[in-house]
Amino acid sequence: MIKDDTQELLLSEAASFPSLLPTPPTDPIWWRQAAIYQIYVRSFADGNGDGIGDLRGVRDRLPYLRDLGIDAVWFTPWYESPLKDGGYDVADYRRINPQFGSVEEAEVLILEALALGIRTIVDVVPNHVSNRHAWFQQALAAGAESPERERFWFREGRGDSGELVPNEWPSSFSGDTWTRTTNADGTPGEWYLHLFTPEQPDLNWDHPDVRREHEDVLKFWFDRGVGGVRIDSAALVVKDPALPEIDPVAHYRQGEHPNLDRDGLHDIYRSWRAIANSYEGSRVLVGEVWLADLERFALYLRPDELHTAFNFEFMNQPWNEPDLRKAIDGTLAAHAPVGAPSTWVLSNHDITRPVTRYGRADSSFDFAKKRFGTPTDLAVGARRARAAALLTAALPGALYLYQGDELGLPEVEDIPLDRLDDPMHFRSARVDPGRDGCRVPLPWSGAVAPYGFSPDGATAEPWLPQPTAFAGLTVEKQEQDPASMLLLYRRALQLRGIEPSLLGETFTWVGDSATNVLHFRRGEDVVVVTNLGDEPVALPEHTAILLCSDPLVEGLLPPDTAVWLRTSA
Ligand code: GLC
Ligand code: CA
């Protein structure tokens, strides 16, 4: 790769004077109320015209991210990977996928972002690696009962000739969780466990190499200046080594389920926290913890474990007042005893886009319910997504924003079937549309595909086709439209970053529930009202309107609208 002058300069500075790295923003508790933007690299911006997003593309768009008012970016896995699960099949943590760039370029990107006040969070996937990872290749080559296989879960099959799977654990994607290997002489061999696809063999966390390697990976990226790590599938990582069957109706003693939320996880995350704490500045650990039991969830957030974890309870709720209120209350109550901030997430690279989800009769989110052809009213969905943006951005804690939600992109539901790439789709016998609909390359400018995603003169089309509807949703277009979703998000994030009442953590409900209105006070003098009912409502007393998701009608707050108000203290 040819390096330009800035890169050359930054690289040499970084290499020879580590102490002269640009001074990062210094607030040690930045993560408690940060706005964090999730980048799915493959679909963010393509710098070299091959139709695939890359680090060059991200670097070119850093000013866009600064103007959006975010504090950090989180990159979904950007490492070397065969991309059998969008990069969550990591072949080598110490290399960047060559389609995206190089480690040197990642270092430059981290520095350039910091210079604009943006920290970088990388993704680590401890539950599994790619089947192309050196360890798995060594395990296959070394054969049955070899030490190389002990880093994974290899087992003899059951049945007379080992033809039956070792156990019947369900997969986190539909389909099987075991794949049988073939011995060097061509005979059928042992099976290996994979909670996700066969290309993602599960690691055995009882093995010391597995622990050591991940600790080294954390250091590798902390040494390169990252401000935090997002931990994939964080509650699945430790297994009962006896691999007993899972009884779906049994009540396991807490911490003793065969493969979920086992007590042994806490020890791992404590050692990760110690590593994070040994670095200057605050390096944060963010867990992807899918647990319905919020008390168990909060255990991961004790002061010597993870700093924060994603709160999916809120994201999964339908657009109605009682369910959202309950999720907000439950979240705040669960976090309070451990003193950790809540996180608020409306979507990510796995979830149906809010504009689409909120336009449906059933606006809750559940992987199991995803189907092609669900009737959707995008105008209603867009209106609710705007209100949801203001509601969410006003809650106390950290905010996660998935790329493209700031443009109000809908889920793309008409990707030609032969272009779909997601194992969730394939493994459901093609019944579940999968997650590609929220992973379509972003529209930046212009009236025709690739809408500025790739530079002029690009040699290839975007890796997933963009719909013509993206023409009306480009960044360029929205920047000129004061009523656009982009400008709403910009104003919300900027205000959120400077309003003392929103920066603090105090939150109190105002009025009673069951009114179809969520009405709360933040700090001294900000009040937030969201109308989830069918009738316009009067605004409470206020001295100014700070921000409204859609215009008032005759002085009233219309349905599916949220407003931030200044009140007297
Ligand atoms: C997480 C990721 C998802 C991935 C899975 C397996 O849920 O968000 O994209 O497929 O883990 O790594
Ligand atoms: Ca590219």
Side-chain angles (χ1 to χ4, degrees):
M1 196 186 71
I2 301 164
K3 296 188 181 111
D4 63 33
D5 292 344
T6 338
Q7 261 178 299
E8 205 67 83
L9 186 72
L10 278 162
L11 280 172
S12 61
E13 272 179 18
S16 33
F17 305 105
S19 60
L20 291 188
L21 300 182
T23 321
T26 49
D27 180 2
I29 53 164
W30 65 275
W31 46 275
R32 291 193 70 92
Q33 38 76 50
I36 299 158
Y37 184 90
Q38 180 191 352
I39 297 188
Y40 193 78
V41 184
R42 211 177 172 191
S43 302
F44 183 73
D46 167 23
N48 67 353
D50 64 357
I52 300 167
D54 48 42
L55 301 191
R56 176 77 253 174
V58 177
R59 292 175 57 207
D60 291 343
R61 308 292 178 172
L62 285 172
Y64 169 79
L65 296 172
R66 176 202 53 207
D67 294 347
L68 192 54
I70 53 145
D71 303 293
V73 281
W74 148 38
F75 288 95
T76 50
W78 55 7
Y79 318 104
E80 184 154 305
S81 163
L83 300 181
K84 293 294 182 194
D85 180 19
Y88 285 92
D89 47 324
V90 179
D92 187 343
Y93 276 106
R94 294 174 183 81
R95 287 181 53 122
I96 296 283
N97 184 334
Q99 290 180 326
F100 299 163
S102 62
V103 169
E104 291 72 27
E105 188 160 24
E107 289 173 1
V108 174
L109 193 168
I110 292 165
L111 290 173
E112 288 174 339
L114 267 181
L116 299 182
I118 300 171
R119 302 173 207 247
T120 296
I121 294 176
V122 294
D123 214 314
V124 168
V125 192
N127 184 68
H128 44 265
V129 289
S130 161
N131 62 338
R132 309 305 306 166
H133 189 282
W135 278 1
F136 193 72
Q137 290 295 311
Q138 288 158 13
L140 286 182
E145 290 173 28
S146 58
E148 286 83 353
R149 289 201 173 182
E150 285 169 15
R151 294 175 179 141
F152 298 90
W153 298 104
F154 281 88
R155 287 291 185 275
E156 289 293 334
R158 294 175 302 177
D160 291 343
S161 49
E163 75 282 9
L164 301 174
V165 285
N167 72 23
E168 305 273 354
W169 283 5
S171 172
S172 293
F173 295 163
S174 42
D176 37 53
T177 44
W178 291 91
T179 293
R180 196 164 192 189
T181 60
T182 306
N183 294 322
D185 64 3
T187 56
E190 292 182 320
W191 299 72
Y192 67 89
L193 174 72
H194 49 86
L195 292 184
F196 295 89
T197 73
E199 292 87 6
Q200 293 165 295
D202 279 43
L203 288 166
N204 170 10
W205 273 82
D206 295 332
H207 196 296
D209 286 358
V210 173
R211 278 185 86 121
R212 204 174 315 118
E213 167 64 5
H214 281 81
E215 292 178 2
D216 281 355
V217 166
L218 292 186
K219 291 177 197 156
F220 181 89
W221 287 102
F222 284 146
D223 286 341
R224 279 161 184 76
V226 308
V229 172
R230 179 258 189 197
I231 306 162
D232 185 68
S233 304
L236 289 176
V237 170
V238 172
K239 276 94 188 174
D240 179 339
L243 306 182
E245 292 298 351
I246 294 170
D247 180 344
V249 291
H251 288 290
Y252 288 97
R253 276 190 39 206
Q254 290 192 331
E256 293 186 2
H257 183 280
N259 68 15
L260 180 66
D261 185 32
R262 288 180 66 78
D263 285 337
L265 288 160
H266 296 288
D267 189 39
I268 296 172
Y269 299 134
R270 284 197 185 99
S271 72
W272 289 22
R273 180 62 175 259
I275 292 170
N277 287 352
S278 73
Y279 280 83
E280 242 179 278
S282 43
R283 314 295 178 108
V284 305
L285 304 174
V286 186
E288 189 206 19
V289 181
W290 289 88
L291 284 182
D293 181 338
L294 285 175
E295 277 176 31
R296 290 290 298 176
F297 171 88
L299 293 181
Y300 292 82
L301 301 176
R302 288 175 288 194
D304 59 345
E305 297 194 38
L306 309 182
H307 295 74
T308 63
F310 293 120
N311 166 22
F312 294 120
E313 196 50 28
F314 176 76
M315 179 189 76
N316 290 342
Q317 299 310 314
W319 181 250
N320 73 47
E321 183 270 332
D323 286 317
L324 286 169
R325 181 186 296 267
K326 199 165 143 235
I328 294 169
D329 278 339
T331 301
L332 295 175
H335 287 74
V338 283
S342 306
T343 62
W344 306 100
V345 185
L346 283 177
S347 85
N348 62 38
H349 65 292
D350 296 328
I351 309 298
T352 310
R353 292 264 191 200
V355 164
T356 299
R357 200 167 79 226
Y358 290 142
R360 291 179 168 170
D362 177 357
S363 53
S364 65
F365 180 76
D366 184 347
F367 283 111
K369 288 189 319 205
K370 289 182 75 180
R371 290 293 176 271
F372 287 101
T374 309
T376 306
D377 183 334
L378 286 178
V380 169
R383 197 179 164 87
R384 292 179 174 171
R386 293 172 65 91
L390 288 200
L391 165 66
T392 313
L395 291 167
L399 175 74
Y400 281 83
L401 169 59
Y402 173 52
Q403 71 178 37
D405 280 357
E406 82 278 21
L407 302 176
L409 299 186
E411 185 83 358
V412 181
E413 300 195 272
D414 56 357
I415 300 172
L417 292 182
D418 61 354
R419 299 289 295 273
L420 290 180
D421 191 45
D422 180 15
M424 258 190 155
H425 168 64
F426 300 122
R427 285 172 60 93
S428 71
R430 312 200 77 150
V431 167
D432 174 345
R435 302 164 295 179
D436 290 322
C438 68
R439 299 175 176 182
V440 173
L442 295 190
W444 292 92
S445 58
V448 290
Y451 304 109
F453 170 71
S454 298
D456 289 346
T459 52
E461 288 179 8
W463 72 277
L464 280 176
Q466 300 159 301
T468 49
F470 273 16
L473 295 166
T474 61
V475 171
E476 181 182 52
K477 202 151 187 168
Q478 297 202 33
E479 280 182 332
Q480 286 146 24
D481 174 5
S484 70
M485 183 69 136
L486 176 59
L487 295 200
L488 179 71
Y489 256 108
R490 268 192 199 163
R491 282 193 293 264
L493 295 183
Q494 282 156 4
L495 266 176
R496 190 179 182 277
I498 54 169
E499 269 296 325
S501 287
L502 292 172
L503 281 170
E505 295 188 22
T506 53
F507 170 97
T508 8
W509 290 114
V510 181
D512 46 6
S513 55
T515 53
N516 284 331
V517 172
L518 293 172
H519 180 180
F520 55 83
R521 176 179 285 273
R522 290 298 317 285
E524 290 298 305
D525 61 353
V526 172
V527 154
V528 176
V529 185
T530 309
N531 182 1
L532 293 109
D534 299 328
E535 301 295 331
V537 297
L539 295 183
E541 221 174 281
H542 58 275
T543 55
I545 294 177
L546 296 175
L547 198 53
C548 200
S549 64
D550 269 299
L552 299 180
V553 176
E554 294 169 6
L556 300 176
L557 187 68
D560 298 329
T561 312
V563 65
W564 293 2
L565 300 171
R566 166 91 65 223
T567 62
S568 37

